[in-house]
Amino acid sequence: MPKDKQKKQPRPNAEPPRGFRDYVGGEVIRRQAMLATITEVYHRYGFDPLETSAIETVEALGKFLPDTDRPNEGVFAFQDEDDTWLALRYDLTAPLARFAAEHRQDLPTPFRRYATGPVWRNEKPGPGRFRQFYQCDADTVGSANPAADAEICMMLADAFEALGIPASDVAIKLNNRKILNGILETVAEGASEETAAAVLRTLDKLDKAGAEGVRQLLTTGRKDASGAFIPGVGLTDSQAEACLAFLMARRDDNAATLAELRQVVGASAQGIEGVEELEAMVALMDAAGYATRVLVDPSVVRGLGYYTGPVFEAELTFEITDEDGRLRQFGSVAGGGRYDDLVKRFTGQSVPATGVSIGVDRLLAALSAIGRDLGQASRGPIIVLAVERDRMPAYQAMATELRRAGIRAEVALGAANMGKQLKYADRRDAPIAVIEGPDEREQGIVQLKDLALGKRLSAEIETRAEWAEQPAQRAIARGDLVAGVRAMLADEDARQ
Amino acid sequence: MPKDKQKKQPRPNAEPPRGFRDYVGGEVIRRQAMLATITEVYHRYGFDPLETSAIETVEALGKFLPDTDRPNEGVFAFQDEDDTWLALRYDLTAPLARFAAEHRQDLPTPFRRYATGPVWRNEKPGPGRFRQFYQCDADTVGSANPAADAEICMMLADAFEALGIPASDVAIKLNNRKILNGILETVAEGASEETAAAVLRTLDKLDKAGAEGVRQLLTTGRKDASGAFIPGVGLTDSQAEACLAFLMARRDDNAATLAELRQVVGASAQGIEGVEELEAMVALMDAAGYATRVLVDPSVVRGLGYYTGPVFEAELTFEITDEDGRLRQFGSVAGGGRYDDLVKRFTGQSVPATGVSIGVDRLLAALSAIGRDLGQASRGPIIVLAVERDRMPAYQAMATELRRAGIRAEVALGAANMGKQLKYADRRDAPIAVIEGPDEREQGIVQLKDLALGKRLSAEIETRAEWAEQPAQRAIARGDLVAGVRAMLADEDARQ
């Protein structure tokens, strides 16, 4: 009765907005399995999940205040009916700060929480750069104890282990922002905030520019690879020397590195505090058996200006071939550190906090690179072919039997002929097709067609043409359906 | 070195926007466990997960086209930098239609997908009404076969079973929109679309208004409970009679109801088609053993105008006490049906589809009402007290031992004294506190304090004051930490 009125309107484009994408099947399952594995570790460390809503007030998010009519720098913002500016969260830390400030009277101290979920950035999309992506964070709010930082590092090591990444492939590196601050305090007394930030950015370039390049950039500047001149930060040679001594202080083991750092910081009170925090962390991790899994490495700088103490970074050290065909280490997949001022925006009181964020997409890519498939459950279903239309109830009963035995199964509903149904089964990556035609029915049997083996054989078709002509098929009694399917699946697993 | 610049700005309010809320701890874990259980069933039926992004173009979402400067009726909308209007999805079906249209050349036919995730409605918030909430959907796109509808109903029954809701507490009801259309076609030939919609809305009021009330509303109108006059739809008495005969056609079992419906639809081609579809579904479900779990019930109408064939609804039939202290059935927790025109908006071609949506929050409330706790993992951690500050590494090692044995554990990091640490443990719902002070250390033992038992005893404090003085505590050898904690947890489980 209702008539279609939509013909008069132009047809909408069937595509997601630019910079957004869809995740299907195994992509969803693999990410969920990875996040479940990681958060199970977080949970075992006493962390509780927190899920804030996707939308916050722009005021609470901070950083992006509406100085123009419409605040849209970096975030997706819009105005509520009561004129409040709202925005989609751009990370999981800002909502945590809002939540911790809101419930500071009721929360246990410290408050350990983990969170996973999408965040949104209103940025120019590009190849591989999306405007919605997942984060996976764990933070401890309310403890200034270096044990809280040590816990995060050990937890990170455990998470990689739980994901099946060998300890030999992971480097968790540890540094302390206070040491650098202490050195700058000593060697460049009264340096401006801008100079300090410029030094931080420059030290972060050790990988690309090398020690000599960093020395030039800290002082008078240098030409980069393209020949362009990059001006220097303006430190004296001896100031730059002190910074480089810090940057290069890593030795063979944590004890030696810490001894070197003691030398480097000299008499700076802040620097000594930073070294002592690292010593406390190392002692804790040694006692818990993580001595060689978390290494003090002063070359870890991490860009974000808000870190105030220990900073850490997890790198995967196995090699992959990059887009240009060159071998390189996989690189950073997680990072974090201590930040003591985020809650202060709301309450005026400094609240010590430390945490880590895992790059979900990069870690997924890493797992795929080392062949770890967490998506076991993403195997295609058994397909019961619908050979005779009027026998649908019998086919449905077969699928139900299989499901009750915990086996993923469905009846082919689409095409009418067997050939097309088998094509559908192929598309679904179905390991087995169940076939009961009139002949089988009379004999009380069903045919199990091993599609996985069939695929394997047809890949070898050139050398073994005769095999491809006889794809693997077994006739079993109808009553043995579940047992027969189980046996064939076990055979397939054994072949892998 | 970086100075705090934020003092000059007014402090932001630490609260979520109106109509939004946070989920913490067990709330997150219970919902995740419930969704994992449901989607495991969907997956076993051959459905694949699809996760579209939160943001779609307003054009693709449809329904909410920008006729004013800013489209904000019902959705949160905002303009991209290239002036495209974007919006947060308001359900999971509109993005599915967009996806199915976009990939129609590549998707298997039928395409079975499930999806879970938040959706957003820009509506006035109220008590218990939020502007972000979860949906959990399963849909089959590309099959007109009633087997696809039957599959959804059986899957729904399996999902409730997997969640531990007894079959006796669930009523899955089934109807077909074509039957009603057929009746209207016959009794009110040439009725306008508006009249048809009004009839649909009126039949949906059987619960509240009763059969006689519906008869009045279909014809000349009636006074409601408050005395206000509600005008009628304007059908004649015999037309209303035919509609009511349909509405009241439910009999003792599906066979009897279907026979009654055959009578009611008379010669209407569309009505007969509707009955035949239900007959096919019932035959399939009988064969698979769901004969009594899905019942044809013509009083199920379901508001949404876009349904074109079978419609279904799942009700929980156990009684709860409502806010007014009255016993009532828990009611509807899921619903769905066949809709064949959603993809057509994009492609111009009708694509048959059918699906179901589970009300996540209502189903969670139902599980809580029957005492099903899916959040086993939400038990608090074992707390290792930090009795002596300089022994932190030893405490950390204990927590690590427990975690390696799969036991949730943490070191108390917050307060310095034992009393406050025990209060923290209480707040965390910790079952056990592990205590090693100087005396225990010398003896090579640790104390395990059974906090769960302590709570139980202090609840009985009035009658057994002497017990509360001696909370359950056991001294065990340090080397037996894991075994001792396991034994105490087992005792606690046995007491429950």
Side-chain angles (χ1 to χ4, degrees), chain B residues 72 84 100 306 380 385 391:
Chain B
N72 58 1
T84 310
Y306 68 59
L385 298 197
R391 294 275 298 159

Side-chain angles (χ1 to χ4, degrees), chain A residues 20 83 100 112 130 139 177 186 189 194 202 223 322 342 348 360 445 455 494:
Chain A
F20 293 90
D83 292 342
R112 294 175 172 95
F130 295 99
D139 294 81
R177 200 51 75 74
T186 309
E189 213 190 319
E194 285 70 30
T202 305
K223 278 189 185 157
D322 70 11
L342 278 190
V360 172
I445 60 167
K455 260 189 197 174

Side-chain angles (χ1 to χ4, degrees), chain A residues 43 112 131 377 408 410, chain B residues 31 43 80 112 377 408 410:
Chain A
H43 193 261
R112 294 175 172 95
R131 305 208 282 175
R408 195 178 188 207
E410 54 173 73
Chain B
R31 186 179 56 207
H43 193 261
D80 204 354
R112 294 175 172 96
R408 194 178 188 206
E410 54 172 74

Side-chain angles (χ1 to χ4, degrees), chain A residues 436-446 475-480:
Chain A
E436 188 212 58
D439 292 349
E440 285 82 8
R441 181 154 42 90
E442 266 173 36
Q443 299 174 50
I445 60 167
V446 291
I476 57 163
R478 168 66 185 83
D480 295 337

Side-chain angles (χ1 to χ4, degrees), chain A residues 1-4 6 11-18 20-25 28-29 31 43-57 59 70 76-82 86 88 98-99 101-102 105-110 112 120 122 131-132 134 143 145 147-148 151 154 158 161 181 184 193 196 283-284 287-288 290 293 344-348 377 381 389 392-393 396-397 400 403-404 406-411 413-414 424 427-428, chain B residues 1-4 6 11-18 20-25 28-29 31 43-57 59 70 76-82 86 88 98-99 101-102 105-110 112 120 122 131-132 134 143 145 147-148 151 154 158 161 181 184 193 196 283-284 287-288 290 293 344-348 377 381 389 392-393 396-397 400 403-404 406-411 413-414 424 427-428:
Chain A
M1 199 166 315
K3 292 283 178 295
D4 182 24
Q6 289 159 341
R11 286 183 199 151
N13 281 325
E15 51 188 34
R18 60 193 190 109
F20 293 90
R21 56 161 297 195
D22 304 311
Y23 295 82
V24 201
V28 178
I29 288 174
R31 186 178 57 204
H43 193 261
R44 216 186 311 144
Y45 271 76
F47 285 64
D48 273 333
L50 168 66
E51 190 175 316
T52 58
S53 60
I55 299 175
E56 297 278 345
T57 63
E59 182 191 9
R70 178 133 198 274
F76 290 102
F78 38 92
Q79 214 162 0
D80 204 353
E81 264 150 52
D82 67 359
L86 308 177
L88 290 170
R98 187 267 300 158
F99 179 85
E102 183 180 2
Q105 309 297 347
D106 315 315
L107 288 177
T109 303
R112 294 175 172 95
W120 294 266
N122 191 356
R131 305 208 282 175
Q132 171 176 329
Y134 260 72
S143 173
N145 198 317
E151 203 172 71
M154 295 188 290
D158 283 4
E161 190 180 323
N181 291 349
L184 285 172
E193 222 172 283
L284 287 163
Y290 292 79
R293 295 174 68 189
K344 193 176 184 179
R345 287 184 54 238
F346 296 95
T347 63
R389 289 312 255 186
M392 197 57 101
Q396 194 68 60
T400 300
R403 288 170 194 147
R404 298 223 160 248
I407 300 167
R408 195 178 188 207
E410 54 173 73
V411 178
L413 289 185
Y424 167 81
R427 213 157 190 176
R428 296 299 317 278
Chain B
M1 198 163 316
K3 293 282 177 296
D4 182 22
Q6 289 161 344
R11 287 184 197 148
N13 281 325
E15 52 188 33
R18 60 196 189 105
F20 292 90
R21 55 159 298 194
D22 304 310
Y23 296 82
V24 202
V28 178
I29 289 173
R31 186 179 56 207
H43 193 261
R44 214 185 311 146
Y45 272 77
F47 285 65
D48 273 333
L50 168 66
E51 190 176 316
T52 59
S53 60
I55 299 176
E56 297 278 345
T57 64
E59 182 192 7
R70 178 134 197 272
F76 290 102
F78 38 92
Q79 215 162 358
D80 204 354
E81 264 149 53
D82 66 359
L86 307 176
L88 290 170
R98 187 267 301 158
F99 179 87
E102 183 179 3
Q105 308 298 347
D106 316 313
L107 288 177
T109 302
R112 294 175 172 96
W120 293 266
N122 191 357
R131 305 207 282 174
Q132 171 176 330
Y134 260 72
S143 172
N145 197 317
E151 203 172 70
M154 294 188 291
D158 282 5
E161 190 180 323
N181 291 349
L184 284 172
E193 221 172 284
L284 287 163
Y290 293 77
R293 295 174 68 190
K344 193 177 185 178
R345 285 184 55 237
F346 296 95
T347 61
R389 289 310 253 186
M392 198 58 102
Q396 194 68 59
T400 301
R403 288 171 194 146
R404 297 226 160 244
I407 300 168
R408 194 178 188 206
E410 54 172 74
V411 179
L413 289 185
Y424 168 81
R427 214 155 190 178
R428 297 299 318 277

